[in-house]
Amino acid sequence: MTHSLNAAPFMASSIGAHLGGQIMALDFERGHLLLSEAWPDRSIDPAAGPLMTGGPVEIRRGERFAVSRRVAVMPIRGILTPDSEVLERYFGWATYQGIEAACAEIAANEDVSAAVLDVNSPGGMVMGLEGAAQAVAALAASKPVHVLVNPMAASAAYFIASQASDITMIPGSELGSIGTMRSSVWPVKPDNWGDQWGVHLSSHARAKNPNPTSETGLAEIQRSLDEAEAAFLDAVATGRGLDRAGLPKHLSVTDDEADGGAMYRTDQALARNLADGVETRAAFYERVLSAYAGQPGTTGARALSASARARMALAISNI
């Protein structure tokens, strides 16, 4: 869901405080602990520890992807931001510019046959999100892109994942949070110094900071929410091959199409065609890497993507 992040609940030195005031495509319940983390201490060596281990590749902090058996593995971790070099370098969290750059590099690398997005993120900022999703879609048009939900792809992270060739979930994982949400803060009481807060807008800037206590302010907030939701639904419908007109009802947890925006565990994600299979992490990597080992890196894009999707679906069905 899209969330307007308020810095007030976070300590001044936290990541949440640094990102306060930004519009977020974030599952706040699942991302709150990450937002509460202290801003990285730059005295720590960012290369001190690995970002991702226990699989076919070891990716160190500061690296955007690594290649194993002709497959590029890109972790998508943490709170996603447009270009936070600090969070990317010190925490290993993905950025939208980093995803775009990595996708372009993978697409151009003739020694790489396919890509894996290893996703564990509650989402992140809206600014820059569509560019990263488009980069994944463009890569999937030239080489197969396989997503592993390991164990969470929420909101902005699922927006990006939905543009891949196929999506596999590990047992017990979750994905979704498709929709928009905004929390509004409107000053109505004196602050600590006894001053009354107020917000005054020019004659033609009512949408600059909508007042949620007024009818016109609420209407503008609803307009912006629905506009963001429409872009999200458009991307999911296109990426997953779903009927756009019926998607709100398809995603609802009740008979009322307004009851969408939930996170779905594996069985519900599969039933809604938001994912393609369930597999352990080890089995997923063994299957995907074995499928491309020794293959040429560049082939006919759409045909390869379609055949890879069919091969992956067949393999999953036989597990």
Side-chain angles (χ1 to χ4, degrees):
M1 290 194 172
T2 305
H3 185 90
S4 180
L5 186 63
N6 178 16
F10 299 101
M11 297 292 291
S13 60
S14 70
I15 292 170
H18 277 74
L19 300 181
Q22 303 294 328
I23 303 299
M24 310 289 285
L26 176 76
D27 189 299
F28 188 75
E29 179 182 350
R30 291 163 176 82
H32 187 269
L33 289 179
L34 294 180
L35 290 167
S36 299
E37 289 271 2
W39 193 254
D41 181 352
R42 296 191 186 212
S43 66
I44 298 174
D45 180 2
L51 169 63
M52 197 175 91
T53 59
V57 295
E58 179 177 286
I59 301 175
R60 305 196 69 81
R61 299 180 192 279
E63 294 180 340
R64 289 171 174 160
F65 68 91
V67 178
S68 176
R69 293 158 67 181
R70 306 189 74 87
V71 176
V73 179
M74 185 195 315
I76 296 182
R77 295 282 189 271
I79 305 296
L80 309 179
T81 60
D83 59 355
S84 176
E85 184 270 341
V86 172
L87 296 180
E88 182 177 39
R89 184 179 182 192
Y90 288 83
F91 279 180
W93 291 359
T95 66
Y96 300 140
Q97 288 190 10
I99 292 170
E100 290 185 55
C103 285
E105 188 175 345
I106 292 167
N109 190 334
E110 295 185 359
D111 293 326
V112 173
S113 300
V116 165
L117 306 184
D118 195 307
V119 183
N120 181 19
S121 170
M125 292 173 59
V126 167
M127 187 184 303
L129 171 57
E130 289 189 52
Q134 289 171 10
V136 171
L139 177 59
S142 64
K143 298 177 182 182
V145 178
H146 309 291
V147 166
L148 180 66
V149 179
N150 182 31
M152 175 174 55
S155 203
Y158 186 74
F159 194 129
I160 292 169
S162 69
Q163 304 307 296
S165 306
D166 52 64
I167 299 174
T168 300
M169 304 174 70
I170 67 167
S173 59
E174 292 183 309
L175 57 72
S177 195
I178 300 168
T180 60
M181 181 180 73
R182 173 173 172 169
S183 64
S184 297
V185 178
W186 191 258
V188 294
K189 294 181 180 180
D191 62 17
N192 292 336
W193 292 271
D195 296 327
Q196 179 70 41
W197 282 40
V199 176
H200 305 278
L201 304 171
S202 58
S203 299
H204 301 96
R206 195 160 56 196
K208 189 177 182 68
N209 189 13
N211 181 351
T213 65
S214 71
E215 185 175 339
T216 54
L218 284 174
E220 170 54 28
I221 289 171
Q222 190 64 54
R223 183 203 63 78
S224 65
L225 288 171
D226 290 344
E227 182 179 72
E229 179 185 76
F232 202 155
L233 293 176
D234 287 347
V236 171
T238 300
R240 296 297 302 168
L242 298 171
D243 172 49
R244 174 63 178 87
L247 190 55
K249 186 173 183 179
H250 182 69
L251 296 174
S252 175
V253 294
T254 69
D255 292 333
D256 187 341
E257 68 177 34
D259 292 327
M263 286 287 283
Y264 308 104
R265 292 179 68 82
T266 54
D267 56 341
Q268 289 297 316
L270 291 174
R272 288 174 166 82
N273 196 28
L274 299 177
D276 300 294
V278 181
E279 203 170 5
T280 65
R281 183 175 186 270
F284 168 84
Y285 275 110
E286 179 57 32
R287 174 174 59 83
V288 172
L289 269 61
S290 295
Y292 297 104
Q295 290 188 4
T298 55
T299 62
R302 292 291 183 183
L304 176 58
S305 184
S307 64
R309 184 191 292 271
R311 184 168 62 252
M312 293 301 125
L314 178 61
I316 291 172
S317 68
N318 291 329
I319 294 172

